[in-house]
Amino acid sequence: MKISEFRLHSLAVADGPLRSSYGRHAPYALRTIVELKTTDGLTGISETYGGDGPLAALEAVRPLVVGRDPFQLTSLWMSLGQRTEFERQGTGDRSQTHLVPGENPMDVHTRTLAAIEVACLDIIGKAVGKPICDVVGGRARSSPPFSAYLFYKHGGGGGLGADAREDEYGECLDPQSMVRQCKQMIANYGFKEIKLKGGVLDPDAEIETIKQLRAEFGPAYPLRIDPNCAWSVETSVKVGRELREELSDGGYLEDPAAGLDGMAEVRRRLLAEGNDTPLASNVATTAFEHLPVARRLDSVQIVLSDPHYWGGIRNQQHLSKFCEVLGMGLSMHSNNHLGVSMMIMAHASAACPHLTYACDTHYPWQTEVDEVVLGGRVPIVNGCVEIGDKPGLGVELDYDQVARGCERYAKLPYRKRDDEAEMRQHVDPNWKRILPRW
Ligand code: GKR
Ligand code: MG
């Protein structure tokens, strides 16, 4: 069997004005759907970051993909997974401290490889009649858990003009409205763990938000807060101190300060106070080479992986082993995504023996209107995604919906995520991302 066609679909997906330390989300998030067809008539799909950068990286490997046997993933890795000169020289900062995910030139190879690997695994699953997680060794769990991912946000549900989406969760820029958002999201999806995207309001208001969430939901719902390194070491220690109780019982403090050294200092100072709240990261740890350093410095106790930029589902399994051996926890990071990525994340989580927390997902922030999965959105029930026994990823494309997403994309004036520009346009004409802000 050989890959005979390689199709790429650039989509725009409506997204609300969510806030983070990067700025404000644009009315449409960008995604790419990858489709591989084989000489045997099988189609494998996957989903990844969108816009010009990720698309060009995928286009660049087209000659290496067409004609390949989709079962030969090792040689795929060997030809696509080679590091660029830029990476080999180690001149770049591979962390995501200064770049939104999907725009980091240091992970272009693992990002591109991941998209192709997943589409090949989808083909393999279809060829042998098994779900991906069973193809890569079998499942550790059949219904991986996800968490309620809360965002401060302005009013608006995403999209523009006649294409605007309903604003399901409303404006949410204070602790009370965040409790309301969380209740609504838990009522809709049954999540059992809660993550707050911070780095938006003054840290005291974010501390108060976490306290109100704890008062409302109690210790049965572990809590985490992630300001995407918007805080100084001093502020991080203060937040860690004031939220010591709330972030215990299965919670964590995620990327409070920038860099492995900054995180190590936060950890050292909290431990000196007898506070062992674990620190998690998807910003400072984005590649295998970061792990021994993070372990030695004790900067990060929980790695937040992401099959989309760690190199795919099999690399996620390797990461699970690494974390287990190094005594680190493992969970999963997310960005705005559709149902194909939902299933990628679910299979990746199912196939990892060592996965210690419910994974992130932005899925509640997208709607049925934009979904490209045939039959509609992937259900999240009791906070979990059921893998089932359909072959491959277990989902197919709705080509009419893909075409609608491509039409939206064609009309957009932008080709990359730029949350700072959105802030300047809608909130403050002089806004810049400053690290640390507080
Ligand atoms: O969607 O604004 C966002 C998030 O801040 C996202 O881009 C981050 O990558 O969710 C992410 C995180 O946990 O850092
Ligand atoms: Mg994070």
Side-chain angles (χ1 to χ4, degrees):
M1 186 195 304
K2 294 274 182 279
I3 295 167
S4 51
E5 278 180 63
F6 178 23
R7 296 187 184 165
L8 298 170
H9 308 275
S10 292
L11 309 179
V13 178
D15 189 23
L18 310 183
R19 291 283 302 274
S20 76
S21 83
Y22 296 111
R24 168 179 156 136
H25 286 203
Y28 294 93
L30 309 179
R31 300 297 284 172
T32 307
I33 296 289
V34 177
E35 234 192 315
L36 299 179
K37 292 192 180 289
T38 71
T39 45
D40 294 31
L42 295 174
T43 301
I45 58 173
S46 89
E47 179 184 338
T48 186
Y49 292 96
D52 278 349
L55 188 71
L58 284 159
E59 278 296 353
V61 300
R62 180 184 291 280
L64 299 171
V65 172
V66 176
R68 180 175 290 277
D69 177 347
F71 279 80
Q72 297 302 320
L73 295 173
T74 305
S75 70
L76 177 74
W77 173 261
M78 288 166 73
S79 52
L80 300 195
Q82 301 302 313
R83 297 166 149 224
T84 57
E85 192 52 33
F86 181 48
E87 286 172 284
R88 266 199 300 274
Q89 287 169 359
T91 46
D93 172 7
R94 195 175 172 151
S95 82
Q96 277 169 179
T97 308
H98 301 290
L99 292 161
V100 286
E103 295 294 336
N104 185 352
M106 298 303 287
D107 64 18
V108 68
H109 272 70
T110 43
R111 229 192 301 135
T112 305
L113 176 81
I116 311 285
E117 185 235 41
V118 169
C120 287
L121 286 172
D122 192 31
I123 291 170
I124 297 170
K126 284 169 178 161
V128 302
K130 295 277 181 201
I132 287 182
C133 60
D134 295 334
V135 167
V136 296
R139 52 187 88 186
R141 57 195 68 74
S142 283
S143 306
F146 290 84
S147 58
Y149 198 161
L150 313 179
F151 280 82
Y152 295 108
K153 68 181 282 291
H154 301 276
L160 284 172
D163 190 43
R165 306 285 174 276
E166 188 195 333
D167 185 5
E168 196 180 352
Y169 295 97
E171 181 181 281
C172 182
L173 290 168
D174 58 34
Q176 296 74 24
S177 50
M178 191 59 82
V179 172
R180 190 195 64 223
Q181 181 187 116
C182 190
K183 276 191 197 163
Q184 241 179 295
M185 204 176 274
I186 286 180
N188 290 345
Y189 299 96
F191 295 117
K192 304 276 189 287
E193 298 183 29
I194 299 168
K195 162 161 170 168
L196 172 65
K197 176 57 59 177
V200 175
L201 306 181
D202 184 275
D204 285 336
E206 298 194 351
I207 289 170
E208 178 58 21
T209 302
I210 289 285
K211 287 190 181 291
Q212 291 201 19
L213 287 167
R214 170 50 62 102
E216 181 66 34
F217 295 96
Y221 286 79
L223 288 162
R224 359 173 149 155
I225 180 166
D226 173 18
N228 286 114
C229 40
W231 301 333
S232 64
V233 167
E234 198 61 39
T235 303
S236 304
V237 171
K238 170 186 144 82
V239 175
R241 186 182 298 133
E242 293 191 26
L243 292 179
R244 179 177 177 170
E245 195 195 317
E246 290 77 5
L247 299 181
S248 63
D249 305 313
Y252 53 73
L253 186 54
E254 179 174 334
D255 284 309
L260 289 174
D261 289 333
M263 297 275 284
E265 179 67 5
V266 174
R267 172 73 171 164
R268 198 186 56 72
R269 288 179 51 181
L270 287 175
L271 279 179
E273 296 178 5
N275 180 344
D276 68 354
T277 299
L279 304 185
S281 180
N282 63 276
V283 172
T285 46
T286 66
F288 286 97
E289 53 263 44
H290 291 148
L291 301 185
V293 188
R295 182 73 190 82
R296 181 168 44 79
L297 298 174
D298 199 19
S299 318
V300 174
Q301 291 73 52
I302 301 156
V303 177
L304 303 174
S305 67
D306 187 329
H308 298 92
Y309 63 81
W310 274 82
I313 291 177
R314 293 177 326 132
N315 260 17
Q316 172 84 20
Q317 291 181 297
H318 298 318
L319 180 58
S320 166
K321 177 51 88 183
F322 258 70
C323 289
E324 189 180 358
V325 169
L326 293 173
M328 297 165 109
L330 177 69
S331 185
M332 195 180 289
H333 157 270
S334 79
N335 271 120
N336 292 99
H337 62 88
L338 292 164
V340 180
S341 277
M342 187 77 252
M343 292 311 295
I344 296 173
M345 293 156 77
H347 280 276
S349 311
C352 285
H354 180 72
L355 180 83
T356 52
Y357 297 85
C359 301
D360 292 357
T361 174
H362 283 58
Y363 206 45
W365 295 105
Q366 270 52 71
T367 74
E368 188 79 40
V369 179
D370 297 271
E371 185 54 82
V372 294
V373 161
L374 196 63
R377 276 165 69 78
V378 173
I380 300 179
V381 180
N382 294 325
C384 300
V385 172
E386 180 69 42
I387 300 280
D389 54 12
K390 289 197 189 134
L393 279 173
V395 288
E396 299 295 338
L397 293 178
D398 177 330
Y399 287 94
D400 292 336
Q401 283 291 86
V402 171
R404 286 183 196 108
C406 292
E407 274 167 37
R408 280 185 219 109
Y409 184 89
K411 286 188 201 144
L412 276 190
Y414 55 90
R415 289 286 177 264
K416 73 188 270 234
R417 175 175 170 185
D418 188 349
D419 293 16
E420 277 195 41
E422 289 296 313
M423 281 298 281
R424 286 195 287 271
Q425 190 182 337
H426 298 282
V427 181
D428 170 357
N430 300 312
W431 200 86
K432 273 172 69 129
R433 185 163 187 250
I434 299 164
L435 294 181
R437 184 171 295 278
W438 290 281

